[in-house]
Amino acid sequence: MRCRLDSLSLIVCLHLLSIDGDDDKGERSQIGDTMTVAAGVGYVLIALGPALSLFASVIAKKPFLILTLLSSTLFWLISLIILAGAWRAFLPVKSTELWPYSILILTSVGFQEGIRIGFWRLFKKMEDMLNAFADRVSKPRLFLTDKMQLALAGGLGHGLAHAVFFCLSLLTPAFGPATFYVDKCPSIPFFLISAIIALGFVIIHTFSMVIAFNGYTEGKRKDQIFVPFAHLIAALITLINLVPGGCNIGLPLLCIMAGTTLYYSWQLVWRRLTEHQTTRSSD
Amino acid sequence: MDDGSTDSDPVTAGESSILDTLGEDVIRIVSPVSLCMLLVVLLVSSLSSTNDLSSSVSSLFLSSTTTPTSFSSLNLLLLGSDSTWEEIKSALVTALSFVVVVTLLTFLLVLLFYFRCTNFLRIYMGISSLFVLSFLGGFIFLLLISHFKIPIDPFTFAILLFNLSVVGVFAVFMPKFPISMNQGYLVAIGVLTAYWFTMLPEWTTWALLIAMSLYDLAAVLLPIGPLRLLVELAMSRNEEIPALVYEARPVDPQPGDRVRVWRERTDVRIEATENSTNSANVQTVQETRLAVSEEITAPLIEAFPQTGDRHLGTEEVEDGIGLGSSGAIKLGLGDFIFYSVLVGRAAMYDYMTVYACYLAIMAGLGVTLLLLAVYRKALPALPVSIMLGVVFYLLTRVLLEVFVVQCSSNLLMF
């Protein structure tokens, strides 16, 4: 069953798909049933695979990082709600022109980057509290790797929130037997596109938080400018998806952007850690 | 255990940073709450898809404000088009009567505890757990079997159910049972009861949640509140209250024996034949005839040792953060149930509200734990979380959904 609708009617179609699928459940073969659940699970894993492995290997071991993750997810959600509140009066945007959407993107990204500075201040305060606590129980203060892990957990929280709200919450019909194609992109199912975009943004959010915290701590202009820039470019790339057939260009570009952020963060962390090691060994 | 920092920082080969163990207590209470909510959401989404007469979408379409679900839908259809106001009125009446009954029962419980009828209370709690596990559990089991078409014969089913319920009752009330089984069965009881509550009509559920959180606030903090009286009685006598409370103890046993101050819960049940301290019959106006087991909220408390040697070491409580204390955090089962009811009801609308409400409840729980560390006395765990949950549900439903769908359907994300 294919439906070619857009904007709010999308919700209608998606829910009708899920209800429709359940009615036919009895007639379908067992293989058909499990295939569709498998498709849904597959989309979830595409969007969240790296995030889950990061969680299992780094974050799940330290309870405090899990708490940081939950609070940064909440933070991102609140910023998204504020944005939605600010834009509510102007939605739904009926036109297919580019400029209302670009204003939407610009304001949203600008707001979120501004919030990131506030997040960093909270992070500094928390670091001071943790150091004071460490002094009180006579344990060593926070190491550099601890601070980076905190930044990683914060960034992963943001990325997770993005994936959950922009991709997972719309994935419910994917667990049914049908699929859905958007008008502007008839070659890839909607769920797959949103999963890949969510994957790209998870990586961008996670590692740009690491870069940003390091940049603010060290005071390096280059790092501080890179993060809002990367976020803005990535968001503007998704504007290409408005053009019919644009998603074929937009998706690979987004993945390239995610890879760039990953590489930059890798270089930064490597440099920082080797510097730290040389200063420690020279003491 | 090797963590990442030991590889890159040569100094930490022998040392451990504070980040390794900080926040363990909180995670040990967050995990079972999250698990309970997850199970309820899974149950609701797999079982209610066949029962829905109208989904959230058609309500958008038809611009009606409520979503009739399951047993109440027929009722509403018969009542006619002006059903929204009727629903709100009946919801308020139901919630109010519920709170009144729970208050009376709690006072009765305080009275019984005062007259030292502890055995009576314990036996009653055992019977009510048996009821929840066998009847409610059996009913939900049957729903699952019919929905997923699991081939199972009645004898196997009966034997399984009997075994599971009896072991559950022992796990919850025998003192020497393994703590992991105790915790597992408490979560199971919470899931079953919460799923039952999500079968209420929508307005009734919300009114009930808000009413119970206000009641919890009053009952624990006011000087005449029944729960506060109960806690003070238990503290003055150094006794434990017989109650269904989740104790976030680690699986390895802690040294030393501590007397704990319990937070207590009553079992409110519909159609229970006996009227004892911990349970009552509530025949509500718009309810279904099915039995619902309910436990009043239990405030969140921290165990602090009453007797002699307190093991102080380096694990002193840090006032600013409130973590790392030497006792286990206790959370009443009613809190589990009401959190899961809120999330389950959000699941009946859409998954976006589920995630938003989950985060709100976790935030509320965190705030409550912080307050617990600061004030060091029994605190109500419901009000902050439920209020935040309701606020986030409304905000998501009104503001966020339109925004996100608008962006996603045009493949615009940031």
Side-chain angles (χ1 to χ4, degrees), chain B residues 6 223 284 290 326:
Chain B
T6 58
T284 55
L290 300 160
S326 51

Side-chain angles (χ1 to χ4, degrees), chain A residues 159-278:
Chain A
L160 204 67
H162 173 100
V164 157
F165 285 100
F166 277 104
C167 171
L168 287 194
S169 47
L170 299 170
L171 264 190
T172 326
F175 287 90
T179 187
F180 182 74
Y181 290 83
V182 190
D183 262 345
K184 309 251 173 53
C185 200
S187 46
I188 317 178
F190 166 71
F191 305 118
L192 189 58
I193 305 177
S194 68
I196 295 180
I197 295 182
L199 172 67
F201 271 105
V202 161
I203 295 179
I204 291 178
H205 279 301
T206 311
F207 294 105
S208 56
M209 189 68 83
V210 175
I211 301 172
F213 277 13
N214 272 312
Y216 290 130
T217 315
E218 286 187 311
K220 286 209 169 147
R221 273 285 147 193
K222 197 175 74 152
D223 299 337
Q224 289 174 8
I225 299 279
F226 178 82
V227 168
F229 216 51
H231 194 184
L232 196 62
I233 295 184
L236 288 175
I237 287 177
T238 57
L239 269 181
I240 303 181
N241 293 330
L242 281 176
V243 178
C247 56
N248 298 314
I249 311 171
L251 283 187
L253 278 181
L254 188 69
C255 295
I256 292 176
M257 200 61 222
T260 315
T261 315
L262 186 60
Y263 178 73
Y264 192 87
S265 142
W266 168 30
Q267 293 294 314
L268 178 87
V269 171
W270 189 257
R271 175 184 59 80
R272 195 93 202 271
L273 283 178
T274 43
E275 275 174 14
H276 181 77
Q277 204 154 339
T278 46

